[in-house]
């Protein structure tokens, strides 16, 4: 009997250690946790409410007016197939996006650190989704958002969907380029993810594509011409085709505006951004310092920082001209690359012994603490006061 019990325990332990099981547990926790914070944003007009109302107006292809429309198409599909309201469909879709991200991040952590227990993997995968900027400078003025680069937002569904697609696209590129993984999954995932990411929200791609091209030119010069050409074909070609079509759709008409160079304009000036930037970068900088000191810095983390630098430059320097100028749509790029930097920083920090990494983990805990406040803010304050 004892032997049978021991075998059963070992079997159960091996089952729980399977990457798919770990990813499923992380996804289930994230789905439950992040189905909640979007609910208050349905109570009054906000980005979530606006996007839902837009979906209700689409009855045929000619009704699509925005160059990014994946969220609306998915809402319409859920409404017609499942029969739930657009509002319920939106909450369900947002919950799925967070579950999807948690699953991918958990799989990535498991690959990089297979010795970490299932609880630790699931916790980190969920907490990095919860972690947000440290808005201490203006917390008592109830400004939790403006002037900051917020890696986590709940009020804009297309941003959540864009982040959910950015995660596997980044991981697929890392797997092909820096880890040189074989198999048909990654070459298929990249172009499909690229196209879906573009029609969800092009914010991520406008930073990702230039970074990929720069890296692949460097690799081609270094002698890896074949794999460099493959990666450019998988990333740049589908991205450029879709982005060009979206540009023509958004700015091709008379009086529809265009693109302009106006550093820090939508952020209210350089001083407001630069003084609040440490609130977004405390953990990534601390993690980078620990990793660099231990000489465990990987190409993955270097690429994440490169992506961050390019994305932030685009975010703070470029605007749309015309009536959409002060909407700050390029700000979403900065938010996305900051979030991805958090993810890669967590993964990279796992290579550093706890005894030496604890200052960075302490910084991460502070981001999580403010993330919890940010998560609860819509339940505690009117939307117009803190957002």
């Amino acid at each position: 009997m004892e032997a049978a019990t021991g075998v059963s325990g070992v079997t159960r332990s091996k089952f729980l250690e399977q990457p798919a099981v770990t990813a499923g547990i992380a996804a289930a926790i994230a789905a439950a946790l992040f189905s909640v914070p979007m609910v208050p944003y349905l109570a009054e007009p906000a980005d979530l409410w606006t996007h839902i109302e837009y979906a209700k107006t689409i009855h045929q292809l000619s009704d699509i007016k925005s160059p990014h429309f994946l969220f609306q198409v998915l809402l319409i599909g859920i409404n017609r197939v499942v029969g739930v309201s657009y509002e319920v469909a939106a909450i369900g879709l947002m919950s799925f996006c967070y579950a999807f991200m948690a699953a991918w991040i958990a799989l990535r952590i498991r690959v990089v650190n297979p010795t970490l227990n299932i609880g630790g993997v699931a916790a980190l995968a969920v907490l990095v989704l919860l972690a947000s900027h440290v808005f201490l400078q203006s917390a008592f003025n109830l400004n939790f958002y403006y002037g900051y680069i917020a890696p986590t937002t709940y009020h804009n569904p297309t941003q959540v969907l864009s982040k959910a697609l950015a995660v596997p696209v980044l991981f697929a590129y890392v797997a092909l380029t820096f880890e040189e993984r074989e198999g048909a999954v990654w070459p298929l995932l990249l172009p499909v993810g690229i196209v879906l990411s573009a029609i969800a929200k092009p914010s991520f791609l406008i930073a990702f594509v230039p970074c990929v091209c720069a890296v692949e030119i460097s690799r081609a010069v270094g002698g890896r011409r074949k794999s460099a050409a493959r990666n450019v074909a998988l990333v740049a070609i589908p991205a450029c085709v879709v982005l060009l079509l979206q540009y023509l759709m958004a700015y091709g008409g008379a009086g529809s505006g265009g693109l302009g160079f106006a550093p820090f304009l939508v952020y209210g000036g350089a001083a407001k951004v630069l003084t609040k930037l440490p609130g977004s970068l405390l953990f990534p900088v601390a993690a980078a310092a620990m990793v660099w000191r231990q000489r465990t810095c990987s190409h993955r983390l270097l690429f994440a920082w490169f992506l961050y630098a390019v994305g932030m430059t685009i975010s703070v320097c470029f605007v749309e001209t015309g009536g959409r100028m002060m909407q700050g749509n390029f700000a979403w790029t900065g938010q996305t690359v900051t979030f991805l930097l958090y993810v890669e920083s967590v993964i990279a920090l796992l290579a550093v012994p706890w005894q030496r990494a604890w200052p960075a983990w302490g910084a991460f805990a502070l981001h999580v603490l403010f993330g919890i406040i940010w998560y609860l803010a819509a339940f505690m304050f009117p939307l117009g006061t803190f957002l």
Side-chain angles (χ1 to χ4, degrees):
M1 178 66 75
E2 290 181 2
T5 303
V7 171
S8 175
V10 170
T11 302
R12 184 169 57 252
S13 177
K14 288 184 176 180
F15 172 76
L16 291 174
E17 290 174 359
Q18 293 295 317
V21 175
T22 306
I25 292 173
I29 296 171
L33 182 65
F34 293 103
S35 63
V36 177
M38 274 74 69
V39 174
Y41 296 98
L42 291 172
E44 59 182 275
D47 284 3
L48 178 57
W49 185 88
T50 301
H51 282 287
I52 292 172
E53 292 303 308
Y54 173 38
K56 293 177 181 179
T57 68
I58 298 175
H59 305 289
Q60 54 192 6
L61 285 176
S62 60
D63 293 330
I64 297 176
K65 308 300 182 184
S66 170
H68 54 91
F69 49 82
L70 182 59
F71 176 75
Q72 283 74 25
V73 170
L74 292 174
L75 277 196
I76 293 168
I78 295 170
N79 171 260
R80 292 183 179 177
V81 173
V82 184
V84 297
S85 68
Y86 281 86
E87 289 74 16
V88 172
I91 298 301
L93 181 56
M94 294 297 94
S95 177
F96 174 80
C97 285
Y98 276 98
F100 187 71
M101 286 189 281
W104 272 102
I105 295 168
L107 287 172
R108 186 78 192 151
I109 293 173
R110 176 60 77 193
V111 168
V112 173
N113 194 324
T115 61
L116 188 63
N117 63 57
I118 187 171
V121 173
L124 283 176
V126 173
L127 289 177
V128 76
L129 296 174
L130 184 63
S132 195
H133 55 300
V134 179
F135 44 87
L136 186 60
Q137 295 179 52
S138 57
F140 295 103
N141 296 328
L142 288 185
N143 171 23
F144 298 172
Y145 186 72
Y146 288 105
Y148 293 98
I149 308 298
T152 303
T153 53
Y154 300 112
H155 66 284
N156 189 288
T158 58
Q159 173 66 356
V160 176
L161 184 57
S162 175
K163 285 167 54 178
L165 292 165
V167 169
V169 167
L170 176 62
F171 287 177
Y173 178 70
V174 164
L176 280 174
T177 306
F178 304 123
E179 299 172 354
E180 300 182 341
R181 290 203 197 177
E182 303 292 336
V185 174
W186 307 115
L188 178 63
L189 178 59
L190 257 183
V192 172
I194 289 289
V195 173
L196 291 176
S197 177
I199 62 175
K201 202 182 194 81
S203 308
F204 165 64
L205 289 187
I206 61 177
F208 181 68
V209 174
C211 290
V212 167
C213 290
V215 169
E216 297 309 326
I217 289 172
S218 175
R219 294 178 72 239
V221 171
R224 300 190 175 187
R225 295 181 181 87
K226 186 176 180 180
S227 61
R230 176 204 62 193
N231 289 351
V232 168
L234 291 173
V235 174
I237 293 177
C240 289
V241 169
V242 179
L243 289 174
L244 177 59
L245 292 174
Q246 289 181 310
Y247 180 88
L248 294 174
M249 187 175 180
Y251 309 117
S256 56
L259 303 179
F261 184 76
F264 302 104
L265 176 65
V266 299
Y267 289 94
K272 289 187 178 180
V273 177
L274 297 178
T275 55
K276 292 178 179 177
L277 196 58
S280 300
L281 282 179
L282 178 62
F283 167 63
V285 169
M290 297 296 106
V291 169
W292 187 266
R293 186 176 180 181
Q294 292 298 306
R295 302 180 185 274
T296 58
C297 190
S298 65
H299 290 297
R300 298 187 306 268
L301 184 60
L302 289 174
F303 182 77
W305 272 102
F306 180 39
L307 180 64
Y308 174 81
V310 172
M312 280 300 300
T313 300
I314 293 171
S315 182
V316 301
C317 291
F318 290 92
V319 297
E320 293 178 283
T321 58
R324 290 192 291 259
M325 178 178 287
M326 297 311 294
Q327 291 180 9
N329 286 321
F330 282 100
W332 301 117
T333 300
Q335 293 187 5
T336 301
V337 297
T338 302
F339 162 70
L340 294 173
L341 184 59
Y342 279 36
V343 172
E344 288 299 332
S345 297
V346 164
I347 294 171
L349 195 59
L350 290 171
V352 180
W354 163 257
Q355 295 85 347
R356 305 192 177 191
W358 66 265
W361 287 120
F364 180 66
L366 184 62
H367 282 279
V368 171
L369 174 62
F370 276 84
I372 293 172
I373 299 171
W374 182 234
Y375 176 96
L376 296 172
F379 296 96
M380 299 187 295
F381 309 105
L383 295 186
T385 58
F386 70 93
L387 180 64

